[in-house]
C-alpha cells in the first residue's frame, strides 16, 4: 500500500507535524525580513505625510515676506454709496469723496415690429445690405443682412455674433402711446377726435383703450367693440349692431396721429356701417430690438450705420429714414447730459451713456467706469450711489491685524508639522517608534526648533512674542508683537522677512532633498528585502521537498523492515509447527 507522509503508518510518528516545526525554524529569517519591510513601508508612508505638512508650512511661510505683510486697510464712512480697497502701494491717510454722477451704459430700442420673424430690410431691389455697428472708439463690425437672416431675430443674432461690445435682445414691450401718436379723428355724423391716454399697453389693453377713447369722444351715444388678433397682429374695430350711425375713421386726416401705431395707412377708408367692422391694413405689434452697451461711460456710445444699396458707402440719402433697414440707423448727437439732441436717431435712447463724475479732496474727476483705481495710488473706489453734495471719508492705514493673523497662521502650520514628526518619533507602549534612531526625522525637528531660537536682524522670534509651550506648541503673544510693531515697524517686518526667507530655504531642502533622499534609500532597501524574501521562500520550498522525501524514505524503510520481520515470524512459526507434528 502507498505510504502517506501524514499517516505515520509504520513509524507511528507525526511526520507532517515534525516537518512543519522544522520549517517554522527555517522561516524565522523570512519573518524577520517581512517585519522589517513593513517597518520601512510605514516610514515611507509617514515621510509622505511629513512632506505634505512641510509643504503646507512652506506655503504659509511664503506669506511672511515684507511684500506680503505690507497690507493696507481701507474704509469708507458710507459703504452704501462707496466701498473701497487698497493694496500695499497705498499711502496712509484720509480722503474726502463726493460722487456727483454714476457711470451708466447706453441702452436703446427700435420701433415696433409685429413679430420676431418680421422682415427688417426690404430686399426686393438690393438682396444683400449692410449694417456697421460700433461702440465708442472700438472696432466697427460690419454685418450682412440678406435672405438668410432678414428677420428681427436674425439681425439680433448677427449683432451678438459680431462681438462689437453691444448686446442685442428682443422684448415684447407692447404699444407705447405718447403725445405724438395718440389721436384718432372720426366722423359719426359729427367730426370728433378720440385721444388715447399716454402709456404702455399690451395688445388687449390697447384694444380696450381704443374703445374707451372712441366712446368718450362721442359721449357714449354709440359703442364699439375693439379686438386684437395675435395671429395676424391686427386690430379690428366693430361698429356695434345697436348703434344708429355709421362711423368713418379718418386715417387720412393729419390729425389722426395714431394711424401708424395701430397699423392703418393714411388713405381714405370706407365708413364702417352699423354691425360692420374694419381691420388694420398691416400687422402691428410690440416687438422691439434692444441694444445695450457692454461698457459704461460717455466714451462708449452705440453707433449703427446702414448701407441699403450695398455700395460700401454708409448714411447716403435714403439710408437714414424710417423704412426698411434704415429703421435701425442710429448716429445721433448728444447734449452735455448724454441725451439725444439731434442727428440720426431711429432708435430711442432709454438710458444715456454717462461717465462717473466725482470729486477727490475737491478735485473734479471723470471716469468711464464706476470702479475707479487710477485716481488715488493703490486705492480702488467702487461707486455705488451719488452723495447729493455730502462727502464720504475714505481712510487708509496699515493693516496690522492681517500681519498678526498671518503669524498665528504660521504658528498653527508650524505646530502641525512639528507635532507630526514628534509623534512619529515618540516611543510607544511597546517600546518602539516609527522613526527610532532616524537621522532625517531628527534633522527635521532640529531645523524647526532652530528657526524659533535664531536671531533674525535685530530680533529673535521670542522677542516678537513667539514662545513654546511645555509640549512644544508654538504660539504668538499678540500684545508683545503689537508693541514691538508699534515701536519699530520696519525692523520687525525685516526680521519676520528674514525668518521667512531662511525657513523657506530650509524647508525647500527638506522637501526636495532630505525627505526624497531618505525615502529613496528606504525603497532601495525594500527592493533588496523583496529579493531576499523571494530567495528564502524558494529555499523553504526546496527544504520542504527534501524533508518530505527524507521522511517518506524513513516510512518506506520501516515498512519494509516490518514486512520482512512478519515474513520471518511466519517462517519460524511454520518450522515450529512441523517440528511439533513430527513428535
Amino acid at each position: 500500500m502507498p505510504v502517506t507522509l501524514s499517516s505515520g503508518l509504520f513509524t507511528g510518528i507525526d511526520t507532517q507535524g515534525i516537518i512543519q516545526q522544522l520549517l517554522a525554524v527555517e522561516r524565522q529569517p523570512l519573518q524577520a525580513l517581512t517585519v522589517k519591510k513593513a517597518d520601512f513601508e510605514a516610514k515611507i508612508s509617514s515621510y509622505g505625510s511629513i512632506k505634505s505638512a512641510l509643504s503646507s508650512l512652506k506655503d504659509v511661510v511664503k506669506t511672511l515676506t515684507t511684500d506680503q505683510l505690507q497690507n493696507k486697510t481701507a474704509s469708507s464712512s458710507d459703504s452704501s454709496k462707496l466701498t473701497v480697497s487698497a493694496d500695499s502701494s497705498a499711502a496712509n491717510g484720509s480722503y474726502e469723496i463726493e460722487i456727483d454722477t454714476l457711470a451708466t451704459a447706453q441702452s436703446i430700442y427700435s420701433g415696433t415690429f409685429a413679430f420676431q420673424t418680421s422682415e427688417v430690410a426690404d430686399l426686393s431691389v438690393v438682396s444683400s445690405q449692410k449694417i456697421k455697428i460700433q461702440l465708442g472708439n472700438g472696432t466697427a463690425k460690419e454685418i450682412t443682412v440678406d435672405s438668410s437672416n432678414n428677420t428681427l431675430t436674425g439681425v439680433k443674432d448677427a449683432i451678438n455674433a459680431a462681438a462689437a461690445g453691444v448686446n442685442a435682445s428682443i422684448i415684447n414691450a407692447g404699444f407705447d402711446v405718447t403725445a405724438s401718436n395718440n389721436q384718432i379723428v372720426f366722423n359719426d355724423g359729427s367730426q370728433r377726435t378720440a385721444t388715447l391716454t399716454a402709456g404702455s399697453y399690451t395688445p388687449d389693453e390697447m384694444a380696450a383703450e381704443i374703445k374707451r377713447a372712441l366712446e368718450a369722444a362721442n359721449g357714449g351715444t354709440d359703442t364699439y367693440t375693439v379686438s386684437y388678433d395675435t395671429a395676424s397682429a391686427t386690430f379690428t374695430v366693430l361698429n356695434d349692431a345697436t348703434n344708429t350711425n355709421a362711423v368713418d375713421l379718418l386715417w387720412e386726416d393729419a390729425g389722426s396721429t395714431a394711424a401708424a401705431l395701430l397699423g392703418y395707412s393714411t388713405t381714405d377708408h370706407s365708413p364702417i356701417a352699423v354691425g360692420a367692422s374694419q381691420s388694420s391694413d398691416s400687422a402691428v405689434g410690440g416687438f422691439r430690438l434692444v441694444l445695450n452697451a457692454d461698457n459704461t461711460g460717455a466714451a462708449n456710445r452705440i453707433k449703427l450705420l446702414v448701407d441699403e444699396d450695398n455700395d460700401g458707402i454708409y448714411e447716403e440719402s435714403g439710408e437714414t429714414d424710417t423704412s426698411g433697414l434704415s429703421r435701425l440707423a442710429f448716429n445721433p448727437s448728444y447734449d452735455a447730459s448724454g441725451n439725444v439732441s439731434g442727428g440720426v436717431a431711429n432708435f430711442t435712447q432709454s438710458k444715456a451713456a454717462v461717465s462717473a463724475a466725482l470729486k477727490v479732496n475737491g478735485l473734479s474727476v471723470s471716469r468711464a467706469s464706476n470702479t475707479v483705481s487710477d485716481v488715488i495710488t493703490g486705492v480702488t473706489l467702487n461707486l455705488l450711489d451719488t452723495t447729493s453734495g455730502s462727502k464720504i471719508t475714505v481712510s487708509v492705514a496699515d493693516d496690522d491685524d492681517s500681519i498678526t493673523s498671518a503669524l498665528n497662521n504660521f504658528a498653527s502650520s508650524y505646530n502641525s508639522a512639528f507635532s507630526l514628526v514628534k509623534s512619529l518619533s515618540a516611543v510607544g507602549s511597546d517600546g518602539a517608534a516609527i522613526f527610532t534612531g532616524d537621522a532625517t526625522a531628527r534633522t527635521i525637528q532640529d531645523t524647526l526648533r532652530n528657526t524659533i531660537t535664531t536671531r533674525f536682524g535685530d530680533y529673535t522670534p521670542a522677542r516678537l512674542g513667539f514662545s513654546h509651550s511645555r509640549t512644544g506648541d508654538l504660539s504668538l503673544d499678540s500684545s508683545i508683537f503689537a508693541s514691538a510693531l508699534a515701536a519699530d515697524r520696519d525692523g520687525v517686518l525685516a526680521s519676520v522677512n528674514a525668518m521667512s526667507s531662511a525657513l523657506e530655504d530650509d524647508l525647500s531642502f527638506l522637501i526636495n532633498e532630505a525627505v526624497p533622499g531618505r525615502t529613496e534609500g528606504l525603497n532601495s532597501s525594500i527592493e533588496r528585502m523583496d529579493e531576499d524574501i523571494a530567495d528564502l521562500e524558494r529555499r523553504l520550498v526546496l527544504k520542504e521537498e527534501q524533508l518530505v522525501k527524507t521522511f517518506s524514505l524513513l516510512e518506506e524503510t520501516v515498512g519494509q523492515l516490518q514486512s520482512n520481520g512478519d515474513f520471518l515470524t511466519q517462517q519460524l512459526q511454520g518450522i515450529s509447527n512441523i517440528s511439533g507434528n513430527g513428535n
Side-chain angles (χ1 to χ4, degrees):
M1 63 178 292
V3 178
T4 60
L5 188 59
S6 61
S7 65
L9 179 63
F10 302 110
T11 63
I13 299 173
D14 181 7
T15 52
Q16 184 65 38
I18 293 174
I19 290 174
Q20 292 305 317
Q21 291 177 27
L22 292 172
L23 289 176
V25 175
E26 296 288 338
R27 282 194 183 96
Q28 289 178 359
L30 176 62
Q31 292 171 342
L33 276 176
T34 301
V35 171
K36 190 173 184 180
K37 177 184 175 183
D39 177 60
F40 279 22
E41 288 174 338
K43 286 184 177 181
I44 290 174
S45 176
S46 296
Y47 270 120
S49 299
I50 290 174
K51 184 177 179 181
S52 177
L54 293 176
S55 296
S56 297
L57 176 59
K58 182 180 176 182
D59 289 339
V60 173
V61 166
K62 289 179 179 179
T63 68
L64 301 182
T65 62
T66 300
D67 289 343
Q68 294 290 329
L69 295 179
Q70 294 282 18
N71 294 329
K72 299 289 184 176
T73 178
S75 62
S76 166
S77 61
D78 188 348
S79 58
S80 67
K81 298 181 184 298
L82 172 69
T83 60
V84 60
S85 61
D87 62 30
S88 59
S89 65
N92 293 348
S94 61
Y95 307 86
E96 289 187 343
I97 310 296
E98 297 176 66
I99 304 171
D100 299 321
T101 306
L102 291 179
T104 54
Q106 187 177 35
S107 181
I108 59 177
Y109 61 88
S110 72
T112 58
F113 290 79
F115 307 101
Q116 296 189 64
T117 55
S118 295
E119 290 186 350
V120 178
D122 180 1
L123 303 179
S124 60
V125 177
V126 181
S127 61
S128 180
Q129 301 177 20
K130 295 286 197 306
I131 297 173
K132 184 183 289 184
I133 185 167
Q134 184 177 15
L135 183 67
N137 294 321
T139 303
K141 299 297 181 71
E142 200 169 58
I143 297 168
T144 297
V145 178
D146 55 26
S147 59
S148 68
N149 64 353
N150 186 29
T151 63
L152 195 61
T153 297
V155 171
K156 179 259 297 182
D157 292 341
I159 290 174
N160 288 333
V166 176
N167 177 265
S169 60
I170 296 173
I171 63 170
N172 186 0
F175 297 85
D176 283 339
V177 177
T178 66
S180 63
N181 65 351
N182 67 337
Q183 291 187 333
I184 304 172
V185 179
F186 68 100
N187 192 306
D188 60 354
S190 298
Q191 192 90 343
R192 306 179 192 278
T193 299
T195 301
L196 303 173
T197 301
S200 296
Y201 297 88
T202 66
D204 288 341
E205 288 171 345
M206 188 73 260
E209 176 58 17
I210 296 169
K211 171 184 172 64
R212 184 206 63 77
L214 291 173
E215 292 177 355
N218 70 19
T221 56
D222 285 333
T223 60
Y224 309 96
T225 299
V226 184
S227 61
Y228 181 84
D229 180 59
T230 55
S232 63
T234 56
F235 288 99
T236 297
V237 178
L238 172 66
N239 190 5
D240 290 343
T242 56
N243 294 341
T244 58
N245 301 307
V247 60
D248 189 1
L249 302 178
L250 304 175
W251 300 114
E252 71 278 12
D253 191 294
S256 290
T257 57
L261 174 70
L262 304 180
Y264 288 91
S265 62
T266 56
T267 59
D268 185 22
H269 290 67
S270 299
I272 308 172
V274 173
S277 63
Q278 182 185 93
S279 297
S280 303
D281 298 309
S282 60
V284 287
F287 291 99
R288 299 176 185 270
L289 180 65
V290 178
L291 302 182
N292 292 298
D294 289 344
N295 300 320
T296 58
N300 294 303
R301 289 172 174 151
I302 301 169
K303 181 189 297 183
L304 285 95
L305 307 181
V306 173
D307 180 11
E308 288 182 310
D309 57 10
N310 201 16
D311 63 354
I313 302 174
Y314 289 83
E315 286 195 309
E316 292 180 296
S317 176
E319 294 178 340
T320 59
D321 57 25
T322 56
S323 63
L325 192 60
S326 296
R327 287 179 286 176
L328 302 185
F330 188 73
N331 187 17
S333 56
Y334 301 89
D335 63 20
S337 299
N339 300 312
V340 172
S341 59
V344 180
N346 293 342
F347 278 77
T348 300
Q349 179 175 267
S350 56
K351 183 185 291 185
V354 177
S355 294
L358 64 155
K359 294 184 183 71
V360 179
N361 287 348
L363 178 65
S364 294
V365 175
S366 177
R367 291 293 184 270
S369 172
N370 289 317
T371 300
V372 181
S373 58
D374 60 349
V375 174
I376 306 172
T377 301
V379 177
T380 297
L381 306 174
N382 298 300
L383 315 183
L384 305 177
D385 199 358
T386 58
T387 57
S388 302
S390 62
K391 297 177 181 179
I392 297 175
T393 300
V394 168
S395 300
V396 179
D398 294 318
D399 189 0
D400 293 347
D401 288 344
S402 70
I403 301 175
T404 303
S405 177
L407 291 177
N408 280 322
N409 192 27
F410 161 70
S412 176
S413 185
Y414 175 97
N415 290 334
S416 295
F418 190 85
S419 62
L420 176 61
V421 181
K422 181 181 176 182
S423 65
L424 294 172
S425 302
V427 177
S429 58
D430 58 356
I434 292 179
F435 286 146
T436 299
D438 192 289
T440 302
R442 286 198 304 272
T443 297
I444 294 172
Q445 286 183 297
D446 291 342
T447 298
L448 295 179
R449 284 196 193 98
N450 291 339
T451 298
I452 305 306
T453 57
T454 301
R455 185 182 186 88
F456 298 98
D458 294 334
Y459 299 91
T460 62
R463 280 192 62 195
L464 298 181
F466 281 110
S467 63
H468 279 108
S469 68
R470 185 173 300 177
T471 58
D473 287 338
L474 183 67
S475 62
L476 175 70
D477 188 320
S478 58
S479 62
I480 295 176
F481 178 75
S483 297
L485 190 64
D488 182 15
R489 184 180 188 82
D490 291 341
V492 168
L493 293 182
S495 178
V496 173
N497 182 74
M499 181 187 73
S500 169
S501 179
L503 184 53
E504 183 179 352
D505 290 342
D506 290 340
L507 290 172
S508 294
F509 169 75
L510 295 175
I511 293 168
N512 300 323
E513 297 183 41
V515 172
R518 179 60 175 137
T519 54
E520 183 178 347
L522 291 170
N523 277 317
S524 296
S525 297
I526 288 175
E527 290 177 2
R528 290 192 296 272
M529 289 180 196
D530 285 337
E531 293 174 357
D532 292 343
I533 288 171
D535 183 58
L536 284 172
E537 287 176 339
R538 286 192 295 270
R539 288 164 56 188
L540 283 171
V541 170
L542 293 175
K543 184 68 175 180
E544 184 175 12
E545 291 176 352
Q546 178 187 357
L547 290 172
V548 168
K549 288 179 181 179
T550 299
F551 279 97
S552 295
L553 180 60
L554 175 62
E555 287 291 337
E556 291 175 1
T557 300
V558 172
Q560 185 65 43
L561 289 175
Q562 287 181 354
S563 177
N564 292 337
D566 291 342
F567 176 75
L568 289 174
T569 299
Q570 292 173 1
Q571 294 299 316
L572 290 173
Q573 184 65 44
I575 293 172
S576 175
N577 291 337
I578 293 172
S579 298
N581 292 335
N583 293 331

